[in-house]
Amino acid sequence: SPRSRFPAPGDLNNFTSWAQRKGFRYMYVFFVFLIYLVARIFVSDNGTSWSATLVIHNLITFVFFHWIKGTPEASMLMEDKVVTQTFWEQLEDGYLGTPTRRFLAFVPIVLFTIALMASHPATLTTLVVNTGTTLAVLLPKTEFLFGVRIFGINAD
């Protein structure tokens, strides 16, 4: 279950501790912008480029933050529970409301807003795809879905 108070400084899990480092947010924003620039090369429309950036970002973060479980380097020192937890569940030892978690929840909202504003007037298809992928990455970040496997999908 999630924890509601803040963790002690320094996450002991090496698989997630990099997200608390000083330059993480800058690098994250840089890579999102890099996705946009690559999308812009292939698509001339600004709104479509931002929508593509949003969808690519959401697909990547869904897979790596909310689908893949365990750590690449399981060791004897780690608790058995990390084997059954996603990156999001392991992040900062499960504490909610931390600055890193708020940042990671804020980025899809900002990207959704930018994509919506850039593709004005948005088509129904664009709106449905952007909303669907954004909800797919935001809902698993909520407290009531912490550790929940809907319909047993991706369960142990």
Side-chain angles (χ1 to χ4, degrees), residues 38-128:
V38 170
R40 192 74 174 140
I41 290 170
F42 293 103
V43 180
S44 62
D45 179 53
N46 191 39
T48 306
S49 296
W50 278 113
S51 290
T53 302
L54 171 70
V55 170
I56 291 167
H57 169 270
N58 289 347
L59 289 174
I60 290 170
T61 57
F62 179 81
V63 169
F64 286 103
F65 290 178
H66 305 295
W67 190 262
I68 297 174
K69 294 186 289 187
T71 64
E73 54 181 55
S75 71
M76 298 292 251
L77 299 175
M78 295 182 151
E79 297 178 33
D80 291 334
K81 71 178 183 178
V82 299
V83 176
T84 62
Q85 289 181 328
T86 63
F87 175 86
W88 184 259
E89 293 160 352
Q90 295 176 44
L91 184 63
E92 296 173 320
D93 200 26
Y95 289 94
L96 300 176
T98 60
T100 303
R101 285 180 183 269
R102 287 193 303 252
F103 172 77
L104 291 172
F106 185 67
V107 171
I109 295 169
V110 170
L111 285 175
F112 177 79
T113 305
I114 292 171
L116 190 62
M117 292 174 65
S119 59
H120 184 74
T123 64
L124 181 60
T125 304
T126 303
L127 189 59
V128 168

